[in-house]
């Protein structure tokens, strides 16, 4: 069994986009598609309808039937087979089966990404949670401070397509370096904005951080797929998303403590803001250096058969434009795009306006507003991890997503109608319930998208999900902010509840087609199965090693 690979001496590869998805030619020689029972002497072949390898005529006939009978969502596996006449599929007789192994470096990659994603999320929310303090310091309106948060959402939409193109064509490492580097640069620019007339400088620094976010938010599902095995991929994605949530939690907690409301003492206020900005810059710089040193493109061996099939496909067939078009032709993904945008946009809006909502009913409670935000996100972090573990255990993507969506809606309703009861402890409880489900939904959307769009790029699907979230986030923040200022927070929250109810309906309509899971388990459809190399012969074991930690037996 292959152990963790030694990363020394391994060349850093470029991205491995989804490429070469063409049907098997109808005239392919039957001998090239030899099939064999799973418990035969040569595992790792393709079994068609259980037809033995000594029946080439039957095999050829089965292939002919496949081309006419398969539904579009069932063609995933066939498209991953070689298209060149005379070329054998991975695992066919006479060719080595794809190797899979788990790399020990995967934990370092995941940790570094999670930490610099945390700093980026901290910088997103650090203004909003003490919006009244920054309004007084810079002498601007609440709308100006809200735009320090919304610029994150605004920048994402036009930049998502070049960012995902870069991820697909230039690779994971370059994208990670851009995200971490721009995050560091934006933090240092804000250090020069600690004067009352330099609001535009702090906006410039925040804009740089918002560009960095474009190279961060789409990476969790890609990192999980490229570095982690089938039994841990959902948990890894949840952990990567967890870093961003932790940054939001710290952003709710620290700014009210580091920058208390001392508007009457401008010099002290400027000193406190400077302390927060310089501390953030130091941490961001350290993480950028660690990204340069430790962040690799991909492990030596793919962690799963799904990744092995993708990496073995010919690079000349890949088209980013076609990949985008395929995603928008995928109706389950389009529905998920809308529902994810609604849920995450609602979370962005609540996070941005939380300070204003709390202070409407609880005057002078800036620190408690931050603690409520912290409670919301910490509960969501727990929800994310539990949802990731549940998905890895059950693979019930649609059912889990729908249940969490419904519970998020109920949590939002309860939060809305208990906010003005004048018992702040109730707000802590309802905020925690809301956060547990609403924030716990985020990795569910990423993983569900990867499953129903495989073998398209994880970066592209998650990037489009985040773009939808930013669009809905801007619209919801502007609308809820207007309703909150013109009427009261309840009106704005009811607006979000109505949209979340629409999201429940659309989620129920999503057709669950777990393509990646079917590849990893060997369950493709009624006509074709991939047989694992669980018991290689002595000769094969010298060159082919299958990690039983990452590949379940069939």
């Amino acid at each position: 069994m292959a152990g963790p690979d030694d990363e020394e001496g391994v060349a850093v590869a470029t991205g491995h986009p989804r490429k070469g998805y063409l049907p098997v030619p109808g005239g392919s020689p039957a001998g090239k598609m030899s099939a064999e029972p799973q418990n035969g002497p040569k595992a790792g072949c393709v079994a068609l309808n259980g037809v033995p390898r000594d029946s080439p005529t039957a095999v050829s006939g089965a292939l002919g039937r496949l081309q006419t009978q398969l539904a579009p969502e069932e063609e995933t596996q066939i498209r991953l087979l070689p298209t060149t006449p005379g070329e054998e599929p991975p695992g066919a007789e006479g060719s080595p089966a794809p190797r899979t192994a788990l790399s020990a470096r995967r934990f370092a990659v995941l940790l570094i990404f999670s930490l610099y994603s945390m700093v980026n999320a901290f910088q997103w929310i650090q203004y909003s949670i003490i919006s009244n303090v920054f309004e007084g310091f810079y002498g601007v309106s609440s709308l100006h401070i809200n735009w320090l948060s919304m610029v994150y959402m605004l920048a994402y939409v036009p930049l998502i397509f070049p960012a995902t193109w870069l991820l697909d064509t230039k690779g994971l490492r370059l994208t990670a370096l851009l995200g971490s580097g721009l995050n560091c640069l934006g933090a240092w620019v804000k250090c020069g904005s600690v004067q009352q007339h330099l609001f535009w400088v702090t906006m410039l620094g925040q804009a740089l951080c918002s560009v960095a976010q474009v190279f961060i938010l789409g990476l969790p599902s890609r990192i999980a797929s490229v570095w982690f095995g089938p039994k841990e991929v959902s948990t890894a994605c949840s952990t990567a998303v967890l870093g961003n949530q932790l940054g939001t939690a710290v952003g709710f907690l620290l700014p009210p403590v580091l920058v208390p409301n001392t508007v009457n003492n401008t010099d002290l206020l400027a000193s406190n803001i400077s302390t927060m900005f310089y501390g953030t810059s130091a941490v961001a710089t350290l993480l950028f250096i660690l990204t340069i040193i430790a962040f690799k493109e991909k492990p030596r061996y793919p962690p799963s058969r799904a990744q092995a099939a993708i990496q073995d496909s010919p690079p000349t067939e890949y088209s980013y434009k076609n990949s985008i078009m395929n995603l928008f032709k995928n109706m389950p993904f389009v529905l998920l795009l809308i529902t994810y945008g609604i849920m995450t946009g609602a979370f962005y809006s609540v996070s941005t306006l939380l300070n204003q909502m709390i202070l409407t009913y609880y005057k002078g409670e800036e620190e408690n507003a931050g603690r409520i935000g912290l409670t919301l996100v910490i509960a969501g972090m727990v929800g994310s991890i539990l949802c990731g573990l549940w998905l890895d255990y059950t693979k019930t993507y649609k059912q889990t997503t729908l249940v969490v969506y419904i519970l998020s809606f109920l949590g939002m309703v309860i939060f809305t109608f208990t906010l003005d009861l004048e018992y702040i402890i109730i707000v802590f409880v309802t905020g925690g319930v809301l956060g547990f489900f609403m924030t716990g939904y985020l990795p569910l959307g990423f993983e569900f998208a990867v499953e129903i769009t495989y073998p398209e790029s994880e970066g592209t699907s998650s990037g489009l999900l985040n773009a939808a979230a930013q669009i809905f986030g801007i619209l919801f923040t502007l609308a809820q902010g207007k309703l909150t200022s013109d009427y009261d927070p309840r009106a704005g929250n009811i607006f979000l509840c109505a949209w979340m109810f629409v999201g429940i309906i659309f989620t129920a309509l999503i057709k669950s087609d777990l393509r990646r899971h079917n590849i990893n388990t060997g369950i493709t459809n009624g006509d074709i199965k991939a047989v694992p190399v669980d018991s290689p012969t002595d000769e094969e074991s010298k060159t082919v090693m299958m990690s039983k930690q990452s590949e379940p037996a069939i």
Side-chain angles (χ1 to χ4, degrees), residues 260-310:
N261 191 357
T262 58
V263 179
N264 295 329
N265 190 340
T266 305
D267 291 338
L268 177 60
L269 183 58
S271 176
N272 292 333
I273 293 174
S274 181
T275 299
M276 180 172 68
F277 285 167
Y278 275 102
T280 305
S281 301
V283 175
T285 302
L286 173 62
L287 291 172
F288 179 51
I289 294 172
L290 290 176
T291 304
I292 295 173
I293 294 172
F295 209 101
K296 300 297 182 183
E297 180 65 37
K298 60 182 179 181
R300 179 179 302 185
Y301 303 119
S304 66
R305 282 185 304 219
Q307 277 298 304
I310 289 171

Side-chain angles (χ1 to χ4, degrees), residues 446-517:
F446 281 158
E447 282 296 282
F448 196 15
V450 173
E451 289 291 339
I452 63 179
T453 62
Y454 179 88
E456 305 299 342
S457 167
E458 302 96 341
T460 305
S461 62
S462 59
L464 290 175
L465 289 180
N466 282 317
Q470 312 305 322
I471 293 172
F472 278 100
I474 293 173
L475 297 176
F476 286 173
T477 302
L478 291 173
Q480 187 184 10
K482 180 69 172 174
L483 290 170
T484 299
S485 59
D486 290 354
Y487 300 98
D488 55 30
R490 175 175 291 185
N493 287 333
I494 291 175
F495 168 80
L496 293 184
C497 290
W499 275 100
M500 290 173 69
F501 184 77
V502 174
I504 291 174
I505 297 173
F506 283 178
T507 300
L509 297 176
I510 297 175
K511 180 180 179 181
S512 181
D513 176 26
L514 307 183
R515 302 178 177 184
R516 182 183 64 179
H517 174 62

Side-chain angles (χ1 to χ4, degrees), residues 39 53 72 80 82 120 139 159 163 219 222 236 243 248 259 269 274 278 281 302 313 393 412 423 468 515:
N39 57 359
R53 62 192 293 247
L80 290 172
N120 184 259
L159 294 178
L219 263 59
R222 170 62 70 88
T248 305
V259 188
L269 183 58
S274 181
Y278 275 102
S281 301
S313 55
Y393 180 72
M412 189 69 202
Y423 293 99
R515 302 178 177 184

